[in-house]
Amino acid sequence: MLRDVRLTVDRGRLPAGWTVTGFDVRAASLPAGKELTGHWTVTVARDQPGGTVEVPVVATYAHPAGGNAPPVHVEEVVRVSVPLHGTLYASDQPFLAESNGYGPVERDQSNGEAGGQDGKPLTIGGTVYAKGLGMNAPGQVRIDLQGRCTRFEAHVGIDDETSGRGSVTFTVLGDDESPLATTGVLRGGEAAVSLTADVTGVHTLTLTADDGGDGKNYDHADWGLAQLTCAD
């Protein structure tokens, strides 16, 4: 039997602007096999971007050892799916899957080295991009669009950190990996190329950077300002 049981939503860990109505549920004792349930209404902030948000539900109860032992804390999450809407950046979306030729795919910075978060500002042909993805070919990410978006666009090229070296092709794939847009071979030192694709009805978007034919060394592939236009 559990004693001094409390079930609540951890309001302090919700995104800014979210609200919860409903009361904590308490039980002085909870026999084995019995359930304690609660009901809350969660209101999403008006400016919340689309995607999945984890709402933490927490149960605490008196430690079975008694005395001054601290309460036991048990946590589960309820995943709230917010439909994609408006203009979104690919780097702000969760990846269904990712692979990379060297280190992890980076968000809003270049590939850098083998570690995570070790890149520099995305820079192609002297132009700096505050948002985007940094890969090393062969690299790939997959993003769930929920069938709600119509357009993908990015400025693609080799990051200036390679000092003019490297060669990459960029491809946008839709469901069943059908090609939607691709570039020729882009080389280090060249200006960024605008890459756009109609993604109407696509559920799984795949962004791929492939070796341009001379090995993966220096193939730091940038997707500058990789952006999605989705339904309102």
Side-chain angles (χ1 to χ4, degrees):
M1 176 180 293
L2 302 180
R3 299 189 182 281
D4 298 330
V5 185
R6 178 189 179 210
L7 189 64
T8 187
V9 173
D10 190 342
R11 293 164 170 80
R13 291 167 55 193
L14 293 175
W18 286 46
T19 60
V20 176
T21 56
F23 297 98
D24 295 352
V25 181
R26 298 176 183 269
S29 62
L30 186 66
K34 295 295 184 180
E35 294 184 351
L36 186 66
T37 61
H39 299 277
W40 296 271
T41 299
V42 178
T43 302
V44 178
R46 296 179 65 88
D47 59 351
Q48 175 68 36
T52 300
V53 178
E54 294 184 345
V55 175
V57 178
V58 179
T60 58
Y61 56 91
H63 198 289
N68 294 324
V72 178
H73 178 109
V74 180
E75 181 175 310
E76 291 287 344
V77 296
V78 176
R79 290 177 173 84
V80 177
S81 181
V82 181
L84 297 178
H85 58 276
T87 301
L88 311 170
Y89 289 108
S91 59
D92 293 335
Q93 306 310 306
F95 298 153
L96 296 174
E98 68 172 289
S99 61
N100 206 39
Y102 188 61
V105 175
E106 299 285 6
R107 299 174 185 268
D108 304 330
Q109 59 184 276
S110 65
N111 184 83
E113 301 299 331
Q117 298 293 307
D118 61 359
K120 302 175 182 177
L122 296 159
T123 308
I124 310 171
T127 299
V128 178
Y129 301 93
K131 302 289 293 181
L133 301 172
M135 296 182 182
N136 191 114
Q140 182 181 93
V141 299
R142 295 187 178 186
I143 299 172
D144 180 12
L145 301 189
Q146 306 172 358
R148 292 182 52 82
C149 303
T150 56
R151 178 182 173 89
F152 170 82
E153 56 187 304
H155 301 278
V156 299
I158 308 296
D159 196 278
D160 287 356
E161 66 190 358
T162 69
S163 300
R165 293 168 289 190
S167 61
V168 175
T169 60
F170 294 79
T171 305
V172 180
L173 303 169
D175 295 329
D176 301 321
E177 297 197 352
S178 56
L180 304 177
T182 189
T183 68
V185 176
L186 305 184
R187 304 187 184 279
E190 297 178 347
V193 169
S194 179
L195 183 63
T196 63
D198 183 346
V199 297
T200 303
V202 170
H203 285 264
T204 302
L205 177 72
T206 303
L207 306 178
T208 299
D210 291 310
D211 164 42
D214 56 359
K216 69 178 185 179
N217 290 343
Y218 306 107
D219 287 352
H220 289 201
D222 288 355
W223 300 78
L225 295 179
Q227 197 172 76
L228 293 157
T229 302
C230 305
D232 291 326

